[in-house]
Amino acid sequence: SFREEIAKFLTDYTGAAKELNPEHITVMNGCCAVFATLSTVLCDPGDGYLIPAPYYGGINSKTWLYGGIQPVHVPLFSEVTDEESHPFQLTVAKLEAALQRAKKQGIHVRALILINPHNPLGDIYPEQLLKECLEFAHRYGLHVIMDEIYMLSVYGDTTFTSILSLDCLPDPERTHSMWGFSKDFGMSGIRVGVLHTKNPEIQKAVNELVVFHSCPGPVQHILCQLLRDRDWLENVFFPTNKKRLREAQNILVAGLADLGIPVFKSSAGLYVWADFRKFLKSQTFEAEFELWQKILDKKLLISPGKAFYCYEPGWFRLVFSDSLDKIYLGTQRLEQTLQSDTVEPATTNTSSAADALCNPEKDSPAKTSHTSGEDPSQLENILVY
Amino acid sequence: SFREEIAKFLTDYTGAAKELNPEHITVMNGCCAVFATLSTVLCDPGDGYLIPAPYYGGINSKTWLYGGIQPVHVPLFSEVTDEESHPFQLTVAKLEAALQRAKKQGIHVRALILINPHNPLGDIYPEQLLKECLEFAHRYGLHVIMDEIYMLSVYGDTTFTSILSLDCLPDPERTHSMWGFSKDFGMSGIRVGVLHTKNPEIQKAVNELVVFHSCPGPVQHILCQLLRDRDWLENVFFPTNKKRLREAQNILVAGLADLGIPVFKSSAGLYVWADFRKFLKSQTFEAEFELWQKILDKKLLISPGKAFYCYEPGWFRLVFSDSLDKIYLGTQRLEQTLQSDTVEPATTNTSSAADALCNPEKDSPAKTSHTSGEDPSQLENILVY
């Protein structure tokens, strides 16, 4: 069956400690549905979930529309403190702080959502941090939802640790993970997402909802055959895919470097996270939007940090999973846009990020709940995948 | 596009007054999803919808699980009164009565759900009755949800009137209909349902949810090609399908007649609605369940009336869309079961149906809301399609 093939595949490709049990797998029409069902089943409307920001902003609507739950941001910043080794670094102390802030605001936090490999940062959580996060969640009885949708799109040398590979989870009954075909197989239109959970009660409840999120039989049949062709996957598809991703990423990063745009060091995903702060007229999200619009006018679509609930204006996500000529063309257009800028670049500072943290009225998690989990700004129509 | 092909197809096959606008069509992964999104969008949790009973029982969970809304039954009975021409006849007076009862119980009724061709009755609403129902709904500001999933599985001579064929709807902004590929093309695993609504606000809201119910691109592509092959559909597929359905239905009805089992006169769908009352030990749903179990023990799976929220025990739905040898085998097994019955058949009466109506504690719509829209009896695990 499809679930058996998926279990075998994930066992091999996550380096699972033990062979995965097909019974722990639920197939749905995409990870949107996994988020919708999990948020409906794990939480009550109004509950919150911790999520490090920036993050893939689509999670807001996917957990809100049916589940009615709200994000509690764990804001990460580019500035590196003495205890940290890189920008936007997640630490358990930051999770703790966000949880305590949410409690004070009266939000009942039920879960922690982690995206690994990360979207939009493109980095990978070290195994040690992953374990610390799991222990943190266990300490507070939080469910952990691991979004591993970019699991096999690792082009760098960093080792990815899937939650499925961990020998001993602190709280296996509250640890759930998802993966899908969209990204790693370049098949976003195929609509197949997979939930893995060892919790039979949760799975039973999710199964009640799965009738609304079912995956056509013929699609299951074809993907079974794809997964069975292990020789082609192992020797042709994945090596080629990784090679192309690495090449494309290198070219984009080099092109951005030529324009003086620093890029966050990443090793997975189909995008880079780039620092355009020096091109903002002012260090505000309005200026970020203005720059985004100007770049779009030159027919280059990139995603502003605001769409990822980033707390610092000026960061953009650029997708590179395309042919190399498109990437060259993209950097060319970017160059034209930035050079046509007559305004002097402002000095980079993080004051607005500090504002965002200090002024809960302005951009707090609590605010989100009044706006259907969607950002109320003019950016609301920017679709990001 | 897929929506354009569907619009053309439905224009032709419903005899639509005007060419259907593809913009009014929303594609989802099955009609389950159409029910889930419409109930979420049109109603608030706790609201009710009128629905003539018996009806396809799956509607309860499909409108409850995400939408949180409850059925308000319009009970129909086999006894034919002086004003009526056939058993289980729907009249506007019955809709009125059910609506008033619900109001007294404090249920906010927001919609009327009609299944046409009907499941499980297999009959077709006459155009005049359809119009009266639409006017009734308009009078009370109710949305109308027309489930036309068996639209093209008409094997009898009765003319089917699609809501889409009506020239002038009393309340077009509150009239919504659905159709899918599952039944009429014998493709239940393909998971494609279609919502038609002219209400842009409703459609916009539904579209927000459609990300959870999307239909894979390759499936859309293949079905486009199927719909375009009008010559084959018109001259081969539909005539053959109708001929086979008619043949199979005739054989099943004849086989049941030999066993002394009357069948409700139907002309559409993949099933007949048959009167097993004389084989019940007593006129109760317990006896109905017992008979169902006994038939199942002989390896024949039919669906008891209770699964359709029928108010009279003793009615069963029998699916005939199978090869003729299976139908012969089925009637044979049925004969063996019924002949092995040592208990004397009880006299048919409708007292228990009257009980069900008079005793709201026992089987009222209000009760349903406490049980997640599912029947609390031992029948809850009987799946019916």
Side-chain angles (χ1 to χ4, degrees), chain A residues 38 54 63 96 107 126 150 193 214 244 269 272 276 293 323 356:
Chain A
L38 276 186
T63 52
E96 288 271 7
I107 299 170
Y150 289 101
S214 54
R244 288 185 186 166
V272 291
F276 284 67
Q293 185 68 57
S323 59

Side-chain angles (χ1 to χ4, degrees), chain A residues 29 32-33 35-37 40 61-63 65-67 189-191 208-219 374, chain B residues 29 32-33 35-37 40 61-63 65-67 189-191 208-219 374:
Chain A
N29 66 335
C32 302
F35 274 118
T37 54
T40 301
S61 62
K62 287 169 196 19
T63 52
L65 286 170
Y66 279 131
I190 204 80
R191 310 306 309 145
E208 291 289 311
L209 296 170
V210 158
V211 64
F212 303 116
H213 309 291
S214 54
C215 170
V219 169
E374 290 296 343
Chain B
N29 66 335
C32 303
F35 273 117
T37 54
T40 301
S61 63
K62 287 169 195 20
T63 52
L65 286 170
Y66 279 131
I190 205 81
R191 311 305 310 145
E208 290 289 311
L209 296 170
V210 158
V211 64
F212 303 116
H213 310 291
S214 54
C215 170
V219 169
E374 291 295 344

Side-chain angles (χ1 to χ4, degrees), chain B residues 242-316:
Chain B
K242 273 184 195 195
K243 187 172 149 285
R244 287 185 187 167
L245 289 177
R246 191 164 42 230
E247 263 177 29
Q249 197 256 13
N250 283 341
I251 287 168
L252 178 58
V253 170
L256 292 172
D258 286 347
L259 301 175
I261 300 168
V263 165
F264 180 77
K265 193 179 176 309
S266 61
S267 44
L270 314 177
Y271 37 76
V272 291
W273 182 242
D275 180 1
F276 283 67
R277 285 181 293 176
K278 70 174 69 143
F279 298 100
L280 295 193
K281 283 184 184 170
S282 64
Q283 296 302 309
T284 63
F285 286 106
E286 288 70 28
E288 179 184 280
F289 180 75
E290 206 181 302
L291 179 57
W292 174 80
Q293 185 67 58
K294 210 155 74 175
I295 295 169
L296 185 65
D297 290 345
K298 291 279 182 191
K299 298 190 192 303
L300 181 64
L301 177 61
I302 64 177
S303 307
K306 184 73 181 169
F308 302 94
Y309 300 97
C310 187
Y311 277 70
E312 278 179 35
W315 292 83
F316 286 79

Side-chain angles (χ1 to χ4, degrees), chain A residues 35 38 51-52 62 67 98 111 116 150 190 193 203 210 220 238 268 277 297 315 325 369 375:
Chain A
F35 274 118
L38 276 186
I51 187 161
K62 287 169 196 19
N116 188 31
Y150 289 101
I190 204 80
Q203 198 182 21
V210 158
Q220 297 187 33
F238 283 122
R277 284 181 293 176
D297 290 345
W315 292 82
D325 56 319
S369 66
D375 189 276

Side-chain angles (χ1 to χ4, degrees), chain A residues 335-362:
Chain A
E335 191 178 2
Q336 287 161 6
T337 318
L338 298 177
Q339 284 176 346
S340 74
D341 197 345
T342 52
V343 176
E344 283 300 301
T347 318
T348 297
N349 69 60
T350 55
S351 67
S352 66
D355 281 349
L357 258 190
C358 300
N359 183 355
E361 283 307 301
K362 204 179 151 198

